[in-house]
Amino acid sequence: MIASRKDDHVRLALEQQNGHGGRSQFDDVSFVHHALHGIDRDEVSLATRFAGLRWQVPLYINAMTGGSAMTGAINRDLAIAARETGVPIATGSLSAYFKDESVAGTFSVMRRENPDGFIMANVNATATVQDARRAVDLLRADALQIHLNVIQETVMPEGDRSFSSWGPRIEKIAAGVGVPVIVKEVGFGLSRETVQRLRELGVHAADVAGRGGTNFARIENGRREHADYGYLDGWGQSTPACLLDARDAGLPLLASGGVRDPLDVARCLALGATAVGSSGGFLRTLIDGGVPALIARISAWQDQLAALMTALGARTPAALTECDLLIGGELRWFCTDRGIDTAALATRSRLPAAVAS
Ligand code: FNR
């Protein structure tokens, strides 16, 4: 049952990527162009730090799969691409492994192919501390992701209907698992209030995983006999909306959900993310062009991100948070109603003294 669900997820997520590339709320975020702010490429470092961790690049392959023969092969290929490009990577949910140990290899292949890389194990919020430790041990994981997916479960025909235990479970895992814990959504976003609650629960970082990319309401609706939850297609907050909303919520933020290109990566970093993840888009590249295509794409994103930072005068990913940003469209309405000062974002850079005088 779980193995065929994992295969369905891959198939339906790939179908969504066929129509990808349309308008996104990322298009409501633009950098103010300052023609004399550029620096030299060799001044730029892509390294990023959060929650006591240091990553060479502010990019990662986010959680997807494992639990069936086909998804084990995908995990192998994703891990090779991560190894060759030096980006961190997450496994898909290990719930299949908790139910059936015979699928362990479809996850642990990631560590076998990427012995020295940064790997995040992924569990759901019903996991116990023991489950979480088993997940970390299987992967020799450097961090643990816990996913929140209440809307996915709601639309999933066989999904959970009890969510009240999630907070206490997360608190226990964060205190007892022994590696940094990152809580993520699966594409509906984390609000400021949720991130504040996660901080109280002792979580180390939050991945907003907002609306705009892979849509799990649509995926699970596609698995229903009568596809009768179509009206939930637009549920949730976009990734840029979440970053704006939760910037001051007291936890390091990671960004994922609908990230299309290096400009979206730079936008996320400028909105306060410490690193940026992609799932569905990278999966599409892997399936279409194999491991070489995915390596080429991730390498191009790294090069182009550094090029954009050079033009913007940002020596580090964190320095992008000093770049002036304009917020337009629907996102501006969101900011107005959530009390976010867009004028302050548009004027936050300090002009170099020589220019100002
Ligand atoms: C996912 N995602 C996901 N997330 C998670 O925490 N555990 C999981 O097991 C899965 N499974 C999964 C399967 C597939 C095929 C995809 C494409 C995605 C969600 C993923 O990590 C991410 O939060 C969203 O997909 C949004 O990012 P993209 O796809 O828009 O870049």
Side-chain angles (χ1 to χ4, degrees), residues 117-166:
F118 191 100
I119 296 186
M120 296 171 271
N122 182 291
V123 298
N124 64 33
T126 63
T128 62
V129 181
Q130 289 71 27
D131 292 334
R133 287 203 189 114
R134 277 177 71 203
V136 168
D137 288 348
L138 180 68
L139 272 301
R140 282 188 286 113
D142 303 282
L144 180 76
Q145 291 183 332
I146 305 176
H147 64 264
L148 304 180
N149 64 338
V150 69
I151 293 297
Q152 180 188 6
E153 295 289 345
T154 300
V155 183
M156 191 189 298
E158 68 277 29
D160 277 350
R161 298 291 180 262
S162 313
F163 306 115
S164 62
S165 66
W166 285 11

mmCIF file of all heavy atoms in Angstrom, residues 117-166:
data_model
loop_
_atom_site.group_PDB
_atom_site.id
_atom_site.type_symbol
_atom_site.label_atom_id
_atom_site.label_comp_id
_atom_site.label_asym_id
_atom_site.label_seq_id
_atom_site.Cartn_x
_atom_site.Cartn_y
_atom_site.Cartn_z
ATOM 1 N N GLY A 117 28.303 13.451 2.641
ATOM 2 C CA GLY A 117 27.403 14.592 2.426
ATOM 3 C C GLY A 117 26.517 14.872 3.628
ATOM 4 O O GLY A 117 26.437 14.071 4.568
ATOM 5 N N PHE A 118 25.839 16.011 3.574
ATOM 6 C CA PHE A 118 24.902 16.396 4.630
ATOM 7 C C PHE A 118 23.545 15.803 4.266
ATOM 8 O O PHE A 118 22.942 16.168 3.258
ATOM 9 C CB PHE A 118 24.818 17.923 4.739
ATOM 10 C CG PHE A 118 24.076 18.374 5.968
ATOM 11 C CD1 PHE A 118 24.774 18.803 7.098
ATOM 12 C CD2 PHE A 118 22.680 18.369 6.013
ATOM 13 C CE1 PHE A 118 24.098 19.215 8.241
ATOM 14 C CE2 PHE A 118 21.997 18.773 7.157
ATOM 15 C CZ PHE A 118 22.708 19.201 8.268
ATOM 16 N N ILE A 119 23.055 14.877 5.101
ATOM 17 C CA ILE A 119 21.787 14.197 4.813
ATOM 18 C C ILE A 119 20.795 14.447 5.947
ATOM 19 O O ILE A 119 21.145 14.356 7.133
ATOM 20 C CB ILE A 119 22.003 12.674 4.622
ATOM 21 C CG1 ILE A 119 22.893 12.440 3.391
ATOM 22 C CG2 ILE A 119 20.670 11.949 4.488
ATOM 23 C CD1 ILE A 119 23.076 10.972 3.012
ATOM 24 N N MET A 120 19.567 14.793 5.542
ATOM 25 C CA MET A 120 18.483 14.964 6.513
ATOM 26 C C MET A 120 17.513 13.790 6.365
ATOM 27 O O MET A 120 17.057 13.503 5.253
ATOM 28 C CB MET A 120 17.738 16.279 6.244
ATOM 29 C CG MET A 120 18.622 17.498 6.438
ATOM 30 S SD MET A 120 17.860 19.045 5.893
ATOM 31 C CE MET A 120 18.341 19.118 4.173
ATOM 32 N N ALA A 121 17.236 13.119 7.465
ATOM 33 C CA ALA A 121 16.186 12.092 7.468
ATOM 34 C C ALA A 121 14.848 12.803 7.648
ATOM 35 O O ALA A 121 14.800 13.900 8.197
ATOM 36 C CB ALA A 121 16.423 11.109 8.596
ATOM 37 N N ASN A 122 13.772 12.177 7.195
ATOM 38 C CA ASN A 122 12.459 12.846 7.224
ATOM 39 C C ASN A 122 11.419 11.911 7.851
ATOM 40 O O ASN A 122 11.324 10.743 7.457
ATOM 41 C CB ASN A 122 12.065 13.209 5.780
ATOM 42 C CG ASN A 122 10.749 13.958 5.694
ATOM 43 O OD1 ASN A 122 9.685 13.394 5.954
ATOM 44 N ND2 ASN A 122 10.814 15.207 5.315
ATOM 45 N N VAL A 123 10.692 12.436 8.839
ATOM 46 C CA VAL A 123 9.617 11.653 9.474
ATOM 47 C C VAL A 123 8.356 12.502 9.565
ATOM 48 O O VAL A 123 8.409 13.721 9.390
ATOM 49 C CB VAL A 123 10.018 11.175 10.903
ATOM 50 C CG1 VAL A 123 11.238 10.258 10.854
ATOM 51 C CG2 VAL A 123 10.253 12.347 11.848
ATOM 52 N N ASN A 124 7.222 11.865 9.864
ATOM 53 C CA ASN A 124 6.012 12.658 10.060
ATOM 54 C C ASN A 124 5.845 12.967 11.552
ATOM 55 O O ASN A 124 6.605 12.487 12.395
ATOM 56 C CB ASN A 124 4.779 11.972 9.453
ATOM 57 C CG ASN A 124 4.466 10.661 10.140
ATOM 58 O OD1 ASN A 124 4.694 10.503 11.337
ATOM 59 N ND2 ASN A 124 3.941 9.711 9.378
ATOM 60 N N ALA A 125 4.857 13.802 11.848
ATOM 61 C CA ALA A 125 4.737 14.326 13.209
ATOM 62 C C ALA A 125 4.049 13.355 14.163
ATOM 63 O O ALA A 125 3.781 13.691 15.315
ATOM 64 C CB ALA A 125 4.001 15.667 13.180
ATOM 65 N N THR A 126 3.774 12.134 13.691
ATOM 66 C CA THR A 126 3.278 11.124 14.624
ATOM 67 C C THR A 126 4.422 10.219 15.086
ATOM 68 O O THR A 126 4.210 9.287 15.862
ATOM 69 C CB THR A 126 2.173 10.232 13.997
ATOM 70 O OG1 THR A 126 2.744 9.511 12.913
ATOM 71 C CG2 THR A 126 1.008 11.057 13.493
ATOM 72 N N ALA A 127 5.642 10.486 14.613
ATOM 73 C CA ALA A 127 6.791 9.640 14.984
ATOM 74 C C ALA A 127 7.101 9.793 16.474
ATOM 75 O O ALA A 127 6.936 10.871 17.049
ATOM 76 C CB ALA A 127 8.009 10.037 14.151
ATOM 77 N N THR A 128 7.566 8.710 17.066
ATOM 78 C CA THR A 128 8.042 8.765 18.450
ATOM 79 C C THR A 128 9.530 9.135 18.437
ATOM 80 O O THR A 128 10.173 9.115 17.379
ATOM 81 C CB THR A 128 7.897 7.388 19.118
ATOM 82 O OG1 THR A 128 8.733 6.469 18.382
ATOM 83 C CG2 THR A 128 6.457 6.905 19.108
ATOM 84 N N VAL A 129 10.076 9.397 19.627
ATOM 85 C CA VAL A 129 11.519 9.671 19.707
ATOM 86 C C VAL A 129 12.294 8.447 19.207
ATOM 87 O O VAL A 129 13.306 8.578 18.509
ATOM 88 C CB VAL A 129 11.935 10.027 21.150
ATOM 89 C CG1 VAL A 129 13.431 10.329 21.207
ATOM 90 C CG2 VAL A 129 11.151 11.216 21.652
ATOM 91 N N GLN A 130 11.795 7.250 19.541
ATOM 92 C CA GLN A 130 12.487 6.022 19.093
ATOM 93 C C GLN A 130 12.472 5.935 17.558
ATOM 94 O O GLN A 130 13.488 5.602 16.945
ATOM 95 C CB GLN A 130 11.812 4.760 19.673
ATOM 96 C CG GLN A 130 12.017 4.554 21.165
ATOM 97 C CD GLN A 130 11.230 5.570 22.024
ATOM 98 O OE1 GLN A 130 10.183 6.091 21.619
ATOM 99 N NE2 GLN A 130 11.755 5.865 23.201
ATOM 100 N N ASP A 131 11.325 6.221 16.953
ATOM 101 C CA ASP A 131 11.254 6.225 15.477
ATOM 102 C C ASP A 131 12.277 7.218 14.920
ATOM 103 O O ASP A 131 13.007 6.908 13.967
ATOM 104 C CB ASP A 131 9.872 6.689 14.983
ATOM 105 C CG ASP A 131 8.750 5.717 15.294
ATOM 106 O OD1 ASP A 131 9.032 4.512 15.437
ATOM 107 O OD2 ASP A 131 7.588 6.181 15.392
ATOM 108 N N ALA A 132 12.283 8.403 15.506
ATOM 109 C CA ALA A 132 13.166 9.460 14.992
ATOM 110 C C ALA A 132 14.624 9.018 15.091
ATOM 111 O O ALA A 132 15.413 9.222 14.158
ATOM 112 C CB ALA A 132 12.933 10.755 15.765
ATOM 113 N N ARG A 133 14.969 8.367 16.198
ATOM 114 C CA ARG A 133 16.358 7.894 16.350
ATOM 115 C C ARG A 133 16.680 6.805 15.328
ATOM 116 O O ARG A 133 17.770 6.759 14.770
ATOM 117 C CB ARG A 133 16.583 7.342 17.757
ATOM 118 C CG ARG A 133 16.656 8.432 18.800
ATOM 119 C CD ARG A 133 17.432 7.950 20.044
ATOM 120 N NE ARG A 133 17.309 8.933 21.097
ATOM 121 C CZ ARG A 133 16.662 8.740 22.261
ATOM 122 N NH1 ARG A 133 16.112 7.556 22.524
ATOM 123 N NH2 ARG A 133 16.587 9.704 23.148
ATOM 124 N N ARG A 134 15.706 5.932 15.078
ATOM 125 C CA ARG A 134 15.929 4.876 14.068
ATOM 126 C C ARG A 134 16.168 5.488 12.694
ATOM 127 O O ARG A 134 17.014 5.030 11.920
ATOM 128 C CB ARG A 134 14.708 3.955 13.976
ATOM 129 C CG ARG A 134 14.687 2.873 15.043
ATOM 130 C CD ARG A 134 13.415 2.055 14.914
ATOM 131 N NE ARG A 134 13.402 1.201 13.733
ATOM 132 C CZ ARG A 134 12.308 0.739 13.143
ATOM 133 N NH1 ARG A 134 11.110 1.068 13.604
ATOM 134 N NH2 ARG A 134 12.379 -0.043 12.082
ATOM 135 N N ALA A 135 15.399 6.518 12.397
ATOM 136 C CA ALA A 135 15.551 7.193 11.093
ATOM 137 C C ALA A 135 16.949 7.806 10.972
ATOM 138 O O ALA A 135 17.629 7.643 9.957
ATOM 139 C CB ALA A 135 14.473 8.270 10.941
ATOM 140 N N VAL A 136 17.366 8.489 12.032
ATOM 141 C CA VAL A 136 18.684 9.140 12.023
ATOM 142 C C VAL A 136 19.781 8.081 11.928
ATOM 143 O O VAL A 136 20.741 8.213 11.165
ATOM 144 C CB VAL A 136 18.847 10.027 13.279
ATOM 145 C CG1 VAL A 136 20.296 10.482 13.454
ATOM 146 C CG2 VAL A 136 17.908 11.234 13.181
ATOM 147 N N ASP A 137 19.627 6.978 12.664
ATOM 148 C CA ASP A 137 20.640 5.922 12.645
ATOM 149 C C ASP A 137 20.752 5.280 11.261
ATOM 150 O O ASP A 137 21.846 5.013 10.771
ATOM 151 C CB ASP A 137 20.304 4.826 13.676
ATOM 152 C CG ASP A 137 20.524 5.324 15.102
ATOM 153 O OD1 ASP A 137 21.148 6.400 15.256
ATOM 154 O OD2 ASP A 137 20.055 4.647 16.033
ATOM 155 N N LEU A 138 19.604 5.012 10.630
ATOM 156 C CA LEU A 138 19.622 4.345 9.320
ATOM 157 C C LEU A 138 20.426 5.155 8.301
ATOM 158 O O LEU A 138 21.152 4.595 7.488
ATOM 159 C CB LEU A 138 18.189 4.150 8.800
ATOM 160 C CG LEU A 138 18.073 3.459 7.443
ATOM 161 C CD1 LEU A 138 18.511 1.991 7.539
ATOM 162 C CD2 LEU A 138 16.653 3.550 6.895
ATOM 163 N N LEU A 139 20.261 6.462 8.359
ATOM 164 C CA LEU A 139 20.917 7.334 7.363
ATOM 165 C C LEU A 139 22.234 7.902 7.863
ATOM 166 O O LEU A 139 22.902 8.609 7.127
ATOM 167 C CB LEU A 139 19.975 8.513 7.046
ATOM 168 C CG LEU A 139 18.934 8.353 5.950
ATOM 169 C CD1 LEU A 139 19.595 8.027 4.613
ATOM 170 C CD2 LEU A 139 17.887 7.329 6.271
ATOM 171 N N ARG A 140 22.563 7.641 9.132
ATOM 172 C CA ARG A 140 23.634 8.416 9.789
ATOM 173 C C ARG A 140 23.394 9.891 9.450
ATOM 174 O O ARG A 140 24.252 10.610 8.952
ATOM 175 C CB ARG A 140 25.028 7.944 9.366
ATOM 176 C CG ARG A 140 25.436 6.669 10.093
ATOM 177 C CD ARG A 140 26.880 6.261 9.847
ATOM 178 N NE ARG A 140 27.050 5.717 8.501
ATOM 179 C CZ ARG A 140 27.770 6.287 7.509
ATOM 180 N NH1 ARG A 140 28.424 7.398 7.708
ATOM 181 N NH2 ARG A 140 27.846 5.700 6.340
ATOM 182 N N ALA A 141 22.168 10.329 9.751
ATOM 183 C CA ALA A 141 21.707 11.653 9.304
ATOM 184 C C ALA A 141 22.326 12.758 10.148
ATOM 185 O O ALA A 141 22.567 12.589 11.341
ATOM 186 C CB ALA A 141 20.185 11.719 9.372
ATOM 187 N N ASP A 142 22.549 13.897 9.487
ATOM 188 C CA ASP A 142 23.140 15.065 10.145
ATOM 189 C C ASP A 142 22.066 15.949 10.764
ATOM 190 O O ASP A 142 22.364 16.816 11.586
ATOM 191 C CB ASP A 142 23.923 15.868 9.111
ATOM 192 C CG ASP A 142 24.983 14.996 8.453
ATOM 193 O OD1 ASP A 142 26.020 14.777 9.082
ATOM 194 O OD2 ASP A 142 24.751 14.522 7.314
ATOM 195 N N ALA A 143 20.840 15.792 10.325
ATOM 196 C CA ALA A 143 19.714 16.566 10.861
ATOM 197 C C ALA A 143 18.446 15.769 10.581
ATOM 198 O O ALA A 143 18.463 14.822 9.784
ATOM 199 C CB ALA A 143 19.636 17.944 10.207
ATOM 200 N N LEU A 144 17.380 16.148 11.258
ATOM 201 C CA LEU A 144 16.094 15.466 11.060
ATOM 202 C C LEU A 144 15.053 16.481 10.610
ATOM 203 O O LEU A 144 14.930 17.554 11.204
ATOM 204 C CB LEU A 144 15.623 14.838 12.377
ATOM 205 C CG LEU A 144 14.286 14.089 12.274
ATOM 206 C CD1 LEU A 144 14.477 12.730 11.582
ATOM 207 C CD2 LEU A 144 13.660 13.869 13.659
ATOM 208 N N GLN A 145 14.331 16.153 9.561
ATOM 209 C CA GLN A 145 13.150 16.938 9.176
ATOM 210 C C GLN A 145 11.899 16.239 9.713
ATOM 211 O O GLN A 145 11.786 15.015 9.596
ATOM 212 C CB GLN A 145 13.002 17.003 7.657
ATOM 213 C CG GLN A 145 14.028 17.809 6.914
ATOM 214 C CD GLN A 145 13.704 17.851 5.413
ATOM 215 O OE1 GLN A 145 13.084 16.935 4.867
ATOM 216 N NE2 GLN A 145 14.130 18.901 4.750
ATOM 217 N N ILE A 146 10.981 17.043 10.252
ATOM 218 C CA ILE A 146 9.649 16.514 10.597
ATOM 219 C C ILE A 146 8.662 17.280 9.724
ATOM 220 O O ILE A 146 8.684 18.522 9.716
ATOM 221 C CB ILE A 146 9.288 16.768 12.077
ATOM 222 C CG1 ILE A 146 10.366 16.196 13.004
ATOM 223 C CG2 ILE A 146 7.912 16.167 12.395
ATOM 224 C CD1 ILE A 146 10.122 16.506 14.482
ATOM 225 N N HIS A 147 7.824 16.555 8.972
ATOM 226 C CA HIS A 147 6.904 17.294 8.099
ATOM 227 C C HIS A 147 5.510 17.421 8.713
ATOM 228 O O HIS A 147 5.019 16.516 9.391
ATOM 229 C CB HIS A 147 6.840 16.691 6.688
ATOM 230 C CG HIS A 147 6.304 15.303 6.594
ATOM 231 N ND1 HIS A 147 7.096 14.185 6.559
ATOM 232 C CD2 HIS A 147 5.020 14.852 6.505
ATOM 233 C CE1 HIS A 147 6.347 13.100 6.449
ATOM 234 N NE2 HIS A 147 5.081 13.488 6.415
ATOM 235 N N LEU A 148 4.924 18.595 8.489
ATOM 236 C CA LEU A 148 3.534 18.891 8.872
ATOM 237 C C LEU A 148 2.719 18.871 7.588
ATOM 238 O O LEU A 148 3.036 19.617 6.656
ATOM 239 C CB LEU A 148 3.444 20.280 9.520
ATOM 240 C CG LEU A 148 4.349 20.528 10.726
ATOM 241 C CD1 LEU A 148 4.131 21.950 11.254
ATOM 242 C CD2 LEU A 148 4.066 19.515 11.827
ATOM 243 N N ASN A 149 1.693 18.040 7.528
ATOM 244 C CA ASN A 149 0.969 17.877 6.252
ATOM 245 C C ASN A 149 -0.522 17.678 6.479
ATOM 246 O O ASN A 149 -1.125 16.774 5.903
ATOM 247 C CB ASN A 149 1.561 16.700 5.462
ATOM 248 C CG ASN A 149 1.376 15.369 6.158
ATOM 249 O OD1 ASN A 149 1.180 15.323 7.373
ATOM 250 N ND2 ASN A 149 1.416 14.281 5.414
ATOM 251 N N VAL A 150 -1.100 18.554 7.302
ATOM 252 C CA VAL A 150 -2.496 18.346 7.697
ATOM 253 C C VAL A 150 -3.455 18.368 6.498
ATOM 254 O O VAL A 150 -4.409 17.577 6.442
ATOM 255 C CB VAL A 150 -2.884 19.352 8.814
ATOM 256 C CG1 VAL A 150 -2.960 20.764 8.302
ATOM 257 C CG2 VAL A 150 -4.163 18.968 9.491
ATOM 258 N N ILE A 151 -3.179 19.228 5.514
ATOM 259 C CA ILE A 151 -4.084 19.272 4.355
ATOM 260 C C ILE A 151 -3.888 18.041 3.470
ATOM 261 O O ILE A 151 -4.848 17.457 2.961
ATOM 262 C CB ILE A 151 -3.900 20.595 3.566
ATOM 263 C CG1 ILE A 151 -4.369 21.788 4.417
ATOM 264 C CG2 ILE A 151 -4.645 20.567 2.233
ATOM 265 C CD1 ILE A 151 -5.852 21.766 4.771
ATOM 266 N N GLN A 152 -2.646 17.612 3.325
ATOM 267 C CA GLN A 152 -2.399 16.374 2.555
ATOM 268 C C GLN A 152 -3.130 15.200 3.192
ATOM 269 O O GLN A 152 -3.814 14.428 2.505
ATOM 270 C CB GLN A 152 -0.893 16.075 2.479
ATOM 271 C CG GLN A 152 -0.623 14.793 1.684
ATOM 272 C CD GLN A 152 0.826 14.328 1.728
ATOM 273 O OE1 GLN A 152 1.656 14.888 2.438
ATOM 274 N NE2 GLN A 152 1.121 13.303 0.956
ATOM 275 N N GLU A 153 -3.012 15.070 4.519
ATOM 276 C CA GLU A 153 -3.694 13.954 5.204
ATOM 277 C C GLU A 153 -5.207 14.058 5.019
ATOM 278 O O GLU A 153 -5.901 13.048 4.873
ATOM 279 C CB GLU A 153 -3.351 13.955 6.700
ATOM 280 C CG GLU A 153 -1.895 13.684 7.027
ATOM 281 C CD GLU A 153 -1.442 12.241 6.768
ATOM 282 O OE1 GLU A 153 -2.296 11.357 6.609
ATOM 283 O OE2 GLU A 153 -0.216 12.025 6.706
ATOM 284 N N THR A 154 -5.711 15.300 5.042
ATOM 285 C CA THR A 154 -7.154 15.514 4.928
ATOM 286 C C THR A 154 -7.684 15.028 3.574
ATOM 287 O O THR A 154 -8.753 14.424 3.487
ATOM 288 C CB THR A 154 -7.467 17.015 5.130
ATOM 289 O OG1 THR A 154 -7.013 17.382 6.430
ATOM 290 C CG2 THR A 154 -8.947 17.327 5.003
ATOM 291 N N VAL A 155 -6.918 15.290 2.524
ATOM 292 C CA VAL A 155 -7.394 14.911 1.186
ATOM 293 C C VAL A 155 -7.029 13.455 0.860
ATOM 294 O O VAL A 155 -7.717 12.795 0.076
ATOM 295 C CB VAL A 155 -6.817 15.878 0.116
ATOM 296 C CG1 VAL A 155 -7.354 15.540 -1.271
ATOM 297 C CG2 VAL A 155 -7.160 17.335 0.459
ATOM 298 N N MET A 156 -5.962 12.937 1.507
ATOM 299 C CA MET A 156 -5.516 11.565 1.238
ATOM 300 C C MET A 156 -6.617 10.580 1.639
ATOM 301 O O MET A 156 -7.101 10.624 2.773
ATOM 302 C CB MET A 156 -4.259 11.281 2.085
ATOM 303 C CG MET A 156 -3.528 10.003 1.740
ATOM 304 S SD MET A 156 -2.208 9.619 2.955
ATOM 305 C CE MET A 156 -1.124 10.997 2.791
ATOM 306 N N PRO A 157 -7.034 9.710 0.732
ATOM 307 C CA PRO A 157 -8.137 8.802 1.073
ATOM 308 C C PRO A 157 -7.869 8.022 2.371
ATOM 309 O O PRO A 157 -8.764 7.856 3.197
ATOM 310 C CB PRO A 157 -8.206 7.858 -0.131
ATOM 311 C CG PRO A 157 -7.530 8.575 -1.251
ATOM 312 C CD PRO A 157 -6.538 9.517 -0.635
ATOM 313 N N GLU A 158 -6.635 7.563 2.571
ATOM 314 C CA GLU A 158 -6.312 6.763 3.756
ATOM 315 C C GLU A 158 -5.631 7.612 4.834
ATOM 316 O O GLU A 158 -4.950 7.092 5.727
ATOM 317 C CB GLU A 158 -5.416 5.579 3.357
ATOM 318 C CG GLU A 158 -3.992 5.924 2.897
ATOM 319 C CD GLU A 158 -3.850 6.341 1.416
ATOM 320 O OE1 GLU A 158 -4.816 6.888 0.854
ATOM 321 O OE2 GLU A 158 -2.761 6.145 0.846
ATOM 322 N N GLY A 159 -5.809 8.970 4.759
ATOM 323 C CA GLY A 159 -5.029 9.867 5.619
ATOM 324 C C GLY A 159 -5.473 9.896 7.073
ATOM 325 O O GLY A 159 -6.560 9.441 7.436
ATOM 326 N N ASP A 160 -4.606 10.468 7.928
ATOM 327 C CA ASP A 160 -4.904 10.645 9.356
ATOM 328 C C ASP A 160 -6.006 11.673 9.548
ATOM 329 O O ASP A 160 -6.149 12.596 8.753
ATOM 330 C CB ASP A 160 -3.665 11.200 10.077
ATOM 331 C CG ASP A 160 -2.686 10.100 10.440
ATOM 332 O OD1 ASP A 160 -3.051 8.922 10.298
ATOM 333 O OD2 ASP A 160 -1.571 10.449 10.852
ATOM 334 N N ARG A 161 -6.713 11.526 10.659
ATOM 335 C CA ARG A 161 -7.719 12.524 11.005
ATOM 336 C C ARG A 161 -7.498 13.041 12.428
ATOM 337 O O ARG A 161 -8.345 13.715 12.987
ATOM 338 C CB ARG A 161 -9.134 11.926 10.879
ATOM 339 C CG ARG A 161 -9.502 11.462 9.477
ATOM 340 C CD ARG A 161 -9.666 12.631 8.487
ATOM 341 N NE ARG A 161 -10.017 12.140 7.149
ATOM 342 C CZ ARG A 161 -9.138 11.978 6.162
ATOM 343 N NH1 ARG A 161 -7.869 12.267 6.338
ATOM 344 N NH2 ARG A 161 -9.537 11.534 4.977
ATOM 345 N N SER A 162 -6.365 12.709 13.045
ATOM 346 C CA SER A 162 -6.078 13.153 14.418
ATOM 347 C C SER A 162 -4.761 13.906 14.401
ATOM 348 O O SER A 162 -3.725 13.315 14.053
ATOM 349 C CB SER A 162 -5.917 11.962 15.360
ATOM 350 O OG SER A 162 -6.955 11.053 15.176
ATOM 351 N N PHE A 163 -4.819 15.165 14.805
ATOM 352 C CA PHE A 163 -3.619 15.994 14.687
ATOM 353 C C PHE A 163 -3.170 16.592 16.018
ATOM 354 O O PHE A 163 -2.151 17.280 16.064
ATOM 355 C CB PHE A 163 -3.872 17.119 13.672
ATOM 356 C CG PHE A 163 -4.360 16.607 12.328
ATOM 357 C CD1 PHE A 163 -5.630 16.916 11.859
ATOM 358 C CD2 PHE A 163 -3.557 15.786 11.547
ATOM 359 C CE1 PHE A 163 -6.082 16.442 10.630
ATOM 360 C CE2 PHE A 163 -3.993 15.295 10.319
ATOM 361 C CZ PHE A 163 -5.262 15.631 9.859
ATOM 362 N N SER A 164 -3.931 16.351 17.091
ATOM 363 C CA SER A 164 -3.640 17.062 18.334
ATOM 364 C C SER A 164 -2.345 16.588 19.004
ATOM 365 O O SER A 164 -1.777 17.294 19.822
ATOM 366 C CB SER A 164 -4.806 16.922 19.313
ATOM 367 O OG SER A 164 -4.976 15.560 19.627
ATOM 368 N N SER A 165 -1.867 15.414 18.637
ATOM 369 C CA SER A 165 -0.646 14.905 19.287
ATOM 370 C C SER A 165 0.626 15.469 18.654
ATOM 371 O O SER A 165 1.724 15.248 19.172
ATOM 372 C CB SER A 165 -0.597 13.368 19.175
ATOM 373 O OG SER A 165 -0.441 13.004 17.814
ATOM 374 N N TRP A 166 0.511 16.178 17.542
ATOM 375 C CA TRP A 166 1.705 16.555 16.785
ATOM 376 C C TRP A 166 2.649 17.451 17.600
ATOM 377 O O TRP A 166 3.862 17.224 17.603
ATOM 378 C CB TRP A 166 1.321 17.264 15.481
ATOM 379 C CG TRP A 166 0.797 16.326 14.416
ATOM 380 C CD1 TRP A 166 0.455 15.007 14.592
ATOM 381 C CD2 TRP A 166 0.563 16.639 13.051
ATOM 382 N NE1 TRP A 166 0.005 14.493 13.391
ATOM 383 C CE2 TRP A 166 0.060 15.459 12.439
ATOM 384 C CE3 TRP A 166 0.697 17.783 12.270
ATOM 385 C CZ2 TRP A 166 -0.280 15.410 11.082
ATOM 386 C CZ3 TRP A 166 0.369 17.748 10.925
ATOM 387 C CH2 TRP A 166 -0.119 16.560 10.339
#
